[in-house]
Amino acid sequence: VPRKWKQDPKLARWVNTQRYQYNQLRKGKPSSLLPEQIHKLESIGFQWRILGGRSIVNWDERYKQLCMYREEYGDCNVPRKWKQDPKLARWVNTQRYQYNQLRKGKPSSLLPEQIQKLESIGFQWTILGGGARSIVSWDERYKQ
C-alpha cells in the first residue's frame, strides 16, 4: 500500500503507522506493535520498508537465501565481500553486528526468534578471517 494511496487514505495511514511502530521496535524504542501482529502481517507478505515504490527484501527472504547458501557450501559463513551475492553478505554481516549490539546491552533490531532460527542452522556469531571462502593466498591479497 503506497504512503499516500488515494483509493483508501485511512488504510494507507494505518499501514504507515504499522511501519513506523515496527521501525521503533527495531531501534529498541517503545512500540505498540505486538509480536503476534508482526507475525500476522508477515504471513500475508507485508513489506516493512518501501523505497521508491519497490519493497525491500524482508528478513525471512534473506534467511531462506542463507539456507540455500548453507545447502550449497555446508555452512553459513558467507564471506563479507562475496561477489556472487553482496546483498546476502551484507545481511549476514548485519545479523552479526545486531547480535553484538544486543550482547552489549544496546538497542538491536534482531529478535529472539530470529536468533533461534539462525542458530538452528548452525549460524556462527563470530567468524575469524571473514569466512572460509574468503581466505586467499598471500600472493592474491598482495595483487589486490
Side-chain angles (χ1 to χ4, degrees):
V1 175
R3 237 172 241 246
K4 296 181 180 180
W5 196 33
K6 293 178 183 177
Q7 292 173 302
D8 194 341
K10 288 181 182 179
L11 178 60
R13 243 186 331 276
W14 182 84
V15 166
N16 288 333
T17 299
Q18 305 319 298
R19 288 183 177 132
Y20 174 79
Q21 291 298 326
Y22 182 75
N23 284 330
Q24 291 296 98
L25 188 66
R26 288 179 54 117
K27 293 175 186 174
K29 296 181 179 179
S31 170
S32 62
L33 198 59
L34 303 173
E36 52 271 13
Q37 293 169 325
I38 294 170
H39 179 71
K40 279 183 174 181
L41 289 167
E42 288 179 344
S43 74
I44 61 168
F46 188 86
Q47 297 296 313
W48 294 109
R49 293 176 52 196
I50 306 290
L51 282 179
R54 295 180 306 137
S55 63
I56 294 175
V57 175
N58 71 21
W59 193 93
D60 287 318
E61 290 176 59
R62 287 279 185 244
Y63 174 78
K64 287 175 190 171
Q65 292 172 343
L66 179 60
C67 288
M68 290 173 21
Y69 176 94
R70 183 177 175 261
E71 273 184 39
E72 185 173 343
Y73 295 100
D75 60 42
C76 299
N77 302 335
V78 179
R80 280 187 180 208
K81 295 184 179 182
W82 195 39
K83 292 178 182 176
Q84 290 170 283
D85 193 343
K87 290 179 182 180
L88 178 62
R90 210 168 19 259
W91 181 83
V92 165
N93 191 47
T94 298
Q95 303 318 296
R96 290 189 176 112
Y97 172 79
Q98 291 298 330
Y99 183 77
N100 284 329
Q101 291 295 98
L102 197 62
R103 287 185 55 207
K104 293 175 187 174
K106 295 182 177 180
S108 170
S109 63
L110 199 58
L111 303 173
E113 55 268 21
Q114 293 170 332
I115 293 170
Q116 187 178 17
K117 281 178 90 170
L118 288 167
E119 289 178 345
S120 76
I121 61 167
F123 189 85
Q124 296 177 325
W125 297 108
T126 54
I127 299 293
L128 298 177
R133 272 158 297 292
S134 68
I135 297 171
V136 294
S137 71
W138 189 91
D139 288 326
E140 288 173 310
R141 188 64 74 203
Y142 176 77
K143 289 175 189 175
Q144 291 176 341

